[in-house]
Amino acid sequence: TGRSCYKSPSHLSLREHKLYNCEALVLCETLRKTNGKATLASTKLGLPRKTFYDRLARYNIKPKDLR
């Protein structure tokens, strides 16, 4: 899959770190598979667009970087 498209904060507990990485990975991989098309990625994940964009902001993921 190449390089990571997010960076996990160091202050998280092990459990939080795993959840953070899992969710961020799903977002990144879905964006890669949709060539960075956020609307299509949010639909594939079954997330409302606003929720999807909120999560991208949380993980500092930029769809344009995954095109």
Side-chain angles (χ1 to χ4, degrees):
T1 58
R3 66 178 180 79
S4 178
C5 68
Y6 62 93
K7 185 173 184 212
S8 181
S10 59
H11 69 277
L12 300 177
S13 70
L14 181 59
R15 181 178 175 194
E16 291 169 327
H17 180 75
K18 287 181 178 182
L19 180 59
Y20 185 102
N21 285 337
C22 183
E23 188 170 34
L25 181 64
V26 168
L27 294 170
C28 288
E29 288 304 310
T30 305
L31 279 167
R32 279 192 184 107
K33 289 177 181 174
T34 60
N35 295 313
K37 295 179 179 156
T39 301
L40 182 56
S42 69
T43 301
K44 285 187 172 284
L45 291 172
L47 292 172
R49 224 172 50 164
K50 173 152 179 14
T51 302
F52 183 76
Y53 278 105
D54 288 346
R55 293 197 182 156
L56 292 181
R58 178 187 307 161
Y59 299 113
N60 196 27
I61 298 170
K62 298 184 178 25
K64 67 178 181 157
D65 295 341
L66 298 164
R67 290 186 184 144

